[in-house]
Amino acid sequence: MIKSSELILNPDGSVYHLNLLPENIAHDIIFVGDQNRVEKITQHFDSIEFSTQKREFKTQTGMYKGKRMTVISTGIGPDNIDIVINELDALVNIDLKTRKIKKEITSLNIIRVGTSGSLHADIPVDSFVMSTFGLGLDNMLRSYLIDEVSNAALEEAFFIHTNWDIRKGKPYVIACSNKLEKIIESDQIFKGITATAGGFYGPQGRILRLNIQDEKLNSKMDSFDFNENRITNLEMETAAIYGLSALLGHHALSLNAIIANRATGDFSEDPYKAVDELIAYTLDKLANS
C-alpha cells in the first residue's frame, strides 16, 4: 500500500498537482509547455468534455475526428515533467482508493508539441524536428534507476566529445517510442537528438551577467555525431519525458517547431504560425493512427 505522504490526493480523490481523476484523461495525451497553448489545440476538437487547471497544469479532454484525446500543459522544465508523468501514471496504474498498484499496467501515448531552437544552419526556422533521442543534461532522471532504458554508448560518446565536467552530473540518453515515431514521421520532419537542459540561460549557453562553466558547449554539441545521430535542438523537457515514460511503460515522442536558429541567429517571423501548423499535423496523425 502506497502511503499518503508518497501519493498525495486532494479531498475529492484527485491527484495532488494535476487535480485529475482517472476518468478525466484519455490514453492519447498531448503535452504543451504553455497553458495558453492548450486551447490552441483543443479549439480544433469536435467537443470538449472536461477542463480544469491548477497552477500551470491545465488539462482539457475531448474528441477530435472520433478519437478521444487529452491536452495538458506541463509548464517549463524537467522538474515539472517529473510531477506530470508520475501523476498521470498513478491515474491509470494505481488504484487511488486502495493505494495499490494494479495488476494490469496501462500504457499511455504521450506526444510533446513544443518550440525549440535549432543548433544547425540547415534546420531552418519554421521547420519541424522529431526527437529520436532525448539527451538529458539536467540530472533529474538520475534520481531513478535508468540503466535498463538508457543508451550507455551514446552517453559515453557525448561525455568524451564535450569533455563534460562530471561535477554537473553525467548526461543520460533515452530513445523515443518506436511505435509513435512510425505513426508521426514523414519526409518533412527532421530527426535527431534533442538536448534537454535544466535551465534557460546558463544551462543553454546564454551569457548575460554571469560567466558559465563551458562557453564552448553549444559548439561542441553542434559538432557531435554518433552513428549519424547529431544533436538537432536544445530545450527543457524531452529527455525527462522519454526517461520516465520508458521506465513506467508508456510511449513518448517529442515534436518541436523550430522558432530560432542558434547557428545563424535567425528567429521566426511568425512563430505562432509554425506552432499552429505543427499542432494540425500532429492531431491528424494521431486521429488516423
Side-chain angles (χ1 to χ4, degrees), residues 98-168:
T98 64
R99 295 182 169 274
K100 293 182 179 180
I101 298 172
K102 296 178 181 179
K103 292 181 179 179
E104 293 187 10
I105 299 301
T106 296
S107 293
L108 300 171
N109 296 319
I110 298 169
I111 297 182
R112 178 179 185 267
V113 175
T115 57
S116 182
S118 166
L119 297 179
H120 297 276
D122 66 325
I123 302 178
V125 294
D126 301 328
S127 62
F128 302 158
V129 167
M130 174 186 290
S131 309
T132 50
F133 292 96
L135 166 63
L137 312 178
D138 58 280
N139 276 332
M140 187 280 289
L141 205 67
R142 290 290 180 190
S143 295
Y144 300 94
L145 302 174
I146 66 172
D147 288 351
E148 291 187 3
V149 299
S150 61
N151 188 316
L154 210 162
E155 290 171 359
E156 189 64 19
F158 178 80
F159 185 83
I160 293 171
H161 178 80
T162 58
N163 191 28
W164 188 263
D165 188 339
I166 195 62
R167 290 175 297 178
K168 296 192 293 185

Side-chain angles (χ1 to χ4, degrees), residues 227-245:
N227 293 338
E228 298 185 350
N229 290 295
R230 62 176 179 165
I231 300 171
T232 50
N233 60 316
L234 182 60
E235 47 83 272
M236 295 179 63
E237 288 83 25
T238 294
I241 294 170
Y242 283 10
L244 288 172
S245 295

